Amino acid sequence: MAWVLLCTLFVTGSCKEETAPEEEQMETKALVDIQKQGFGQLPDGKNVDLYVLTNASGVKASVMTYGATLVSLEAPDWEGRFADITLGFDSLEGYLSDSPYFGSTIGRYANRIAEGKFTLDGIEYTLAQNNGENHLHGGTKGFDKVMWSAEPVKMEEAGGVKFVYLSKDGEEGYPGNLTCTVTYLLTDSDELRITYEAETDKPTPVNLTHHSYFNLEGQGSGDILDHELMIDANEYTPMDEGLIPTGEIRSLEDTPMDFTTPHAIGERIDQVEGGYDHNFVLRGGGGTLILAARVHEPDSGRVMEVHTTEPGIQFYSGNFLDGSITGKSGKVYHKHYGFCLEPQHFPDSPNNPNFPSTILRPGDRYMSLTVFKFSAQNPRS
Ligand code: BGC
């Protein structure tokens, strides 16, 4: 099965996993430094921890136990100046009250399920309708709003955090106890590797993704309309007004959504009603790790590549940001101040038998890998 292949792909090589039980041991051995600190308390008194990962070139990724969330990502521009390139908040409070999934882990099902309903093995299941009449990003309390247990992970050329969460049978209406693991690894080649694994005791849909809003010029610095984007997809899944796929898989040729060659995000956005918020069908996607998208910001020279084993990617151009959120360092997030590239299976797959299946069965293992790779190039070269 494809998942087995992925698993092999990820765990082979020279990387040896070593888990440090004692906090003090975290600073030793791996080239990637791991520091653990407090990040506030939930209303029920639970402490939230933040793990700050720093690699040899100074790239820094901070992840917290609430929502297995990426809180910040600091990367250099072409002259070596660092900036935090993800939208978010300085403290936990913002994530508890205001966040449109900034940096979140999304599950049990990323994206929409029509009317919050699906039938599996003859049984109809009803989920929360938390987006008009539809179900979005796992429901009212999805994986972005739960506490994950965490332990640091050290490898020869990478360091990170392994998050685990047990989603109980019936949670948000989904069947089966689902044990999920999300591992963030920062490597010494400036990659953030996110691995997803899950097992269930009843058949259930599973579709996990990462929901960072990026601005490669630095969070809060303006809109992302000048970012140049390539997506290696020549088809997409058209949707109705509720952003539910019609079931068709349609060519992107001669549409403003064709990013097979790089285009500035803003170049044709006015021709797309509401802005970009579409699922792209990746060429050769699903099973093996492929380059899905590449983004280049011309002033800073920063480049982000997205590699994934998923068959699709949702490109969302921050259309619903409207200036009502004040984020890190007092920055106000207006429309298009960040973009998301969310590798995933297609929206509403449980109701579309012609889409790649999202059903996980007992005895099988869900496995998915996404790699965000950062670099910078001299804009004048
Ligand atoms: C969806 C948008 C949604 C946003 C929520 C994205 O993944 O595609 O439609 O509004 O998440 O922040």
Side-chain angles (χ1 to χ4, degrees):
M1 227 181 120
W3 300 128
V4 177
L5 180 74
L6 289 181
C7 190
T8 316
L9 189 151
F10 185 68
V11 296
T12 51
S14 60
C15 292
K16 247 197 302 117
E17 191 171 323
E18 284 173 34
T19 316
E22 304 292 331
E23 216 174 290
E24 307 81 63
Q25 289 183 353
M26 283 195 277
E27 285 103 83
T28 59
K29 287 197 179 149
L31 291 170
V32 173
D33 181 65
I34 307 172
Q35 299 288 334
K36 179 182 169 188
Q37 60 196 55
F39 197 62
Q41 266 189 354
L42 297 182
D44 67 5
K46 284 200 187 81
N47 289 322
V48 174
D49 293 325
L50 185 75
Y51 289 82
V52 182
L53 318 173
T54 313
N55 75 5
S57 48
V59 172
K60 196 178 276 195
S62 301
V63 285
M64 67 163 160
T65 48
Y66 178 74
T69 303
L70 180 71
V71 171
S72 62
L73 196 286
E74 294 174 31
D77 67 8
W78 72 278
E79 290 182 300
R81 286 177 303 222
F82 281 78
D84 182 356
I85 55 170
T86 59
L87 277 56
F89 301 98
D90 291 323
S91 63
L92 182 63
E93 283 64 42
Y95 290 95
L96 299 181
S97 55
D98 251 355
S99 180
Y101 307 95
F102 286 152
S104 301
T105 293
I106 308 288
R108 190 179 292 202
Y109 197 97
N111 219 312
R112 292 173 175 81
I113 295 181
E115 296 175 23
K117 283 193 173 44
F118 65 93
T119 300
L120 176 54
D121 296 341
I123 304 169
E124 186 179 79
Y125 294 94
T126 304
L127 310 169
Q129 293 170 307
N130 60 324
N131 186 245
E133 59 174 12
N134 300 320
H135 178 83
L136 175 68
H137 292 339
T140 40
K141 193 174 179 191
F143 290 4
D144 58 298
K145 296 181 186 66
V146 299
M147 281 293 283
W148 295 66
S149 65
E151 60 179 44
V153 174
K154 289 190 168 193
M155 293 177 164
E156 280 176 19
E157 288 167 358
V161 184
K162 178 175 169 179
F163 292 107
V164 179
Y165 175 63
L166 168 65
S167 170
K168 296 237 173 82
D169 189 8
E171 185 179 282
E172 296 293 317
Y174 289 100
N177 291 296
L178 185 79
T179 307
C180 281
T181 304
V182 176
T183 307
Y184 285 86
L185 274 183
L186 179 65
T187 72
D188 264 340
S189 38
D190 298 347
E191 296 166 337
L192 186 65
R193 300 174 73 92
I194 312 177
T195 308
Y196 303 85
E197 293 160 88
E199 282 179 336
T200 186
D201 60 4
K202 284 185 191 165
T204 180
V206 184
N207 187 26
L208 307 177
T209 195
H210 180 74
H211 206 288
S212 274
Y213 290 64
F214 294 97
N215 183 323
L216 299 186
E217 210 175 350
Q219 67 86 25
S221 66
D223 66 49
I224 46 77
L225 298 177
D226 66 343
H227 287 47
E228 291 153 6
L229 170 66
M230 183 285 291
I231 303 179
D232 194 10
N234 46 22
E235 291 174 315
Y236 75 116
T237 51
M239 306 154 299
D240 67 15
E241 337 52 81
L243 302 182
I244 296 293
T246 59
E248 188 191 346
I249 293 180
R250 192 186 288 171
S251 168
L252 287 165
E253 207 179 340
D254 299 327
T255 76
M257 271 116 55
D258 185 350
F259 285 96
T260 45
T261 55
H263 286 271
I265 292 173
E267 188 185 319
R268 301 164 297 172
I269 199 167
D270 291 345
Q271 300 167 40
V272 182
E273 209 190 323
Y276 295 103
D277 196 357
H278 296 78
N279 170 59
F280 290 71
V281 178
L282 294 170
R283 218 159 19 184
T288 43
L289 194 66
I290 55 151
L291 174 68
R294 186 174 190 273
V295 191
H296 170 236
E297 198 289 307
D299 294 323
S300 64
R302 286 193 188 87
V303 173
M304 181 177 83
E305 285 179 1
V306 187
H307 301 250
T308 189
T309 57
E310 288 296 309
I313 195 165
Q314 182 84 8
F315 167 46
Y316 170 57
S317 53
N319 315 323
F320 299 117
L321 296 173
D322 60 3
S324 62
I325 296 176
T326 301
K328 296 173 196 170
S329 315
K331 303 283 189 190
V332 176
Y333 298 144
H334 298 281
K335 192 170 182 177
H336 305 315
Y337 264 43
F339 68 90
C340 303
L341 282 166
E342 309 156 48
Q344 57 192 247
H345 273 57
F346 306 169
D348 201 28
S349 298
N351 293 309
N352 285 280
N354 58 320
F355 290 175
S357 173
T358 52
I359 304 303
L360 180 70
R361 295 190 177 271
D364 288 346
R365 193 170 180 75
Y366 175 94
M367 184 88 191
S368 173
L369 170 64
T370 286
V371 180
F372 295 99
K373 184 169 174 54
F374 301 95
S375 59
Q377 65 191 42
N378 184 337
R380 288 185 275 281
S381 67

